[in-house]
Amino acid sequence: MIKDILDIKVTRAVESKLPQVDWENLPFGKVFSDHMLVMDYKDGAWQTPEVLPFTNLSLHPAVSVIHYGQSIFEGLKANRTESGDIFLFRPDMNGRRLQESCERMCMPEIPVDLFVECTRKLVEVDQNWIPNKKGYSLYIRPIIFATDEYIGIRPSETYKFMIFTCPVGAYYSEPVNVKIEEYYTRAAAGGVGRAKTAGNYAASLYPAKLAQEQGYHQLIWTDASTHEYIEESGTMNIMFQIGGKLITPSEDSDTILRGITKRSVIELVQSWGIEVEERKVSVKEIVEAARSGKLEDAFGIGTAATIAHIAKMGYRDEVFHLKPLEERPISNSIKETLNDIKLGIKPDTLNWCLKV
Ligand SMILES: *Cc1c(COP(=O)(O)O)cnc(C)c1O
């Protein structure tokens, strides 16, 4: 275990910002903990990571990330259990996915155990920032970006890996309204949809804005070449329930982000004996099920919200209102069970949580 061989140097903040936090009005992603972890890549190797007081960066205007977008990120959470332990949820999976994003974006990979130890160390240092309130947690944001001061186009030779954290409340408290998008595209085959890379999110802002002007929160993305198959919901994976079975788009194509929450949901419900189909999911199938009242449930899945129930689904001129939340027992149980495992309330039988 790398923890035994690597003792990450910590420089503590002189004064904590904790007393300034208004826990009753905690905006998502705008409050930052006292420290950050930094590790530079140069001369062909990752250098020694360090925990430093959280502060601004100073960047050369030609730094290549700004111009050509070699930039990737991850997202995970730390929770405090009732007995006071701190749990990270499957951080090794984030480490592996960060490596996959690195490969696609020509960036140098970080060993998974080093990634996990960096995350663990930072959370340990800022453990007082993990909120003690129900539904609240510490959101952890690892990033890697290109830092060459050069405006030529080629993979950068220097990078910065950083992790910082934000205490957050519950993400989507209300069920969401989504529109099935048939023109704009999130990811095309052969593109970068499977990588958690910055440009994917920049490209989705405009179509999402148009949908918001029509009263929707998010889009349901369809495949770029035919728009006949469903891929994701906003920045979450998506799952449907028809005839007691759960159905979700398969990850065979490189257009779908491989969600850790989704993988966990699949493993969990299979352990309950519920059938999950990972396959192509056509718009036609979902719309017909919705028209005939056979669509039992539809929800987004991701770290931020765990489960985001879909209340209303728009398709061309039609609007489908899905069942009230209390009539969605499977997704409610999934949400409750996953949250309880993260909080140490239910036993972690699948060995997902890492104690900090
Ligand atoms: C991060 C992300 C997800 C969800 O992944 P989790 O690991 O479950 O948080 C799904 N889709 C997109 C596009 C994402 O960026």
Side-chain angles (χ1 to χ4, degrees):
M1 179 71 194
I2 214 154
K3 184 174 163 182
D4 303 323
I5 50 170
L6 181 78
D7 198 10
I8 298 175
K9 186 179 164 209
V10 178
T11 307
R12 296 218 166 241
V14 177
E15 201 178 349
S16 175
K17 294 173 291 181
L18 261 175
Q20 298 161 27
V21 178
D22 177 2
W23 296 101
E24 300 308 314
N25 302 291
L26 194 61
F28 180 86
K30 290 188 179 172
V31 175
F32 302 94
S33 315
D34 286 329
H35 299 88
M36 61 189 194
L37 181 134
V38 182
M39 178 168 73
D40 290 326
Y41 182 90
K42 61 177 183 190
D43 305 327
W46 285 108
Q47 309 294 306
T48 311
E50 250 188 283
V51 173
L52 298 167
F54 186 90
T55 186
N56 289 349
L57 298 173
S58 169
L59 294 175
H60 189 284
V63 80
S64 57
V65 62
I66 298 174
H67 302 262
Y68 308 122
Q70 255 189 307
S71 175
I72 59 176
F73 67 95
E74 271 301 324
L76 67 161
K77 282 179 174 176
N79 285 293
R80 192 187 301 281
T81 70
E82 276 178 1
S83 58
D85 290 332
I86 299 162
F87 280 177
L88 296 176
F89 188 73
R90 311 188 84 175
D92 54 315
M93 300 268 284
N94 295 93
R96 273 202 287 279
R97 187 169 63 192
L98 190 68
Q99 289 185 327
E100 287 170 14
S101 297
C102 281
E103 184 183 10
R104 182 64 182 82
M105 303 308 291
C106 287
M107 299 164 86
E109 291 176 11
I110 295 173
V112 171
D113 52 358
L114 176 58
F115 170 86
V116 171
E117 176 53 14
C118 287
T119 307
R120 196 200 65 77
K121 186 70 190 184
L122 181 66
V123 170
E124 187 182 66
V125 171
D126 274 334
Q127 55 184 279
N128 291 339
W129 286 83
I130 307 172
N132 237 334
K133 282 175 71 157
K134 195 173 175 339
Y136 285 54
S137 51
L138 189 70
Y139 184 80
I140 305 165
R141 172 52 62 90
I143 53 175
I144 307 178
F145 58 92
T147 54
D148 274 9
E149 296 164 1
Y150 173 57
I151 56 167
I153 302 183
R154 56 146 169 75
S156 181
E157 289 169 355
T158 60
Y159 295 88
K160 208 176 259 302
F161 169 61
M162 300 184 64
I163 313 177
F164 58 82
T165 67
C166 301
V168 295
Y171 189 65
Y172 289 118
S173 36
E174 294 291 305
V176 292
N177 301 332
V178 297
K179 181 191 146 189
I180 299 177
E181 176 62 49
E182 292 188 288
Y183 176 71
Y184 293 101
T185 295
R186 189 191 88 88
V192 294
R194 185 181 284 169
K196 230 169 157 71
T197 186
N200 284 337
Y201 305 85
S204 70
L205 295 177
Y206 180 68
K209 184 180 106 173
L210 296 181
Q212 279 154 17
E213 285 165 7
Q214 297 168 26
Y216 296 99
H217 299 103
Q218 276 298 353
L219 293 172
I220 292 183
W221 297 106
T222 54
D223 72 286
S225 60
T226 67
H227 294 291
E228 286 175 17
Y229 295 95
I230 289 174
E231 301 211 312
E232 299 208 48
S233 171
T235 55
M236 306 180 89
N237 295 121
I238 190 164
M239 209 174 253
F240 301 95
Q241 184 189 323
I242 299 173
K245 271 190 281 192
L246 292 175
I247 302 163
T248 189
S250 68
E251 294 167 346
D252 300 344
S253 83
D254 55 5
T255 56
I256 295 177
L257 204 289
R258 293 178 161 175
I260 295 162
T261 318
K262 170 177 142 176
R263 188 55 40 208
S264 307
V265 165
I266 291 171
E267 291 169 19
L268 182 69
V269 298
Q270 283 176 340
S271 80
W272 293 346
I274 292 173
E275 201 179 322
V276 185
E277 291 180 1
E278 287 188 82
R279 58 166 170 81
K280 287 186 124 184
V281 180
S282 70
V283 173
K284 187 161 168 262
E285 170 185 7
I286 297 305
V287 166
E288 280 176 2
R291 278 188 193 128
S292 61
K294 290 190 176 133
L295 184 60
E296 292 152 9
D297 202 347
F299 50 93
I301 317 171
T303 295
T306 309
I307 299 286
H309 288 105
I310 293 173
K312 198 172 94 174
M313 190 172 74
Y315 173 67
R316 298 185 183 170
D317 297 334
E318 289 174 275
V319 175
F320 305 108
H321 293 270
L322 274 67
K323 293 189 175 188
L325 287 197
E326 55 278 12
E327 290 173 35
R328 307 192 196 190
I330 295 180
S331 58
N332 289 333
S333 303
I334 293 170
K335 186 168 186 167
E336 194 185 297
T337 305
L338 271 184
N339 288 340
D340 283 355
I341 291 173
K342 293 175 188 177
L343 293 173
I345 296 169
K346 285 214 170 89
D348 179 22
T349 49
L350 294 159
N351 254 320
W352 284 336
C353 298
L354 177 79
K355 200 169 139 180
V356 168

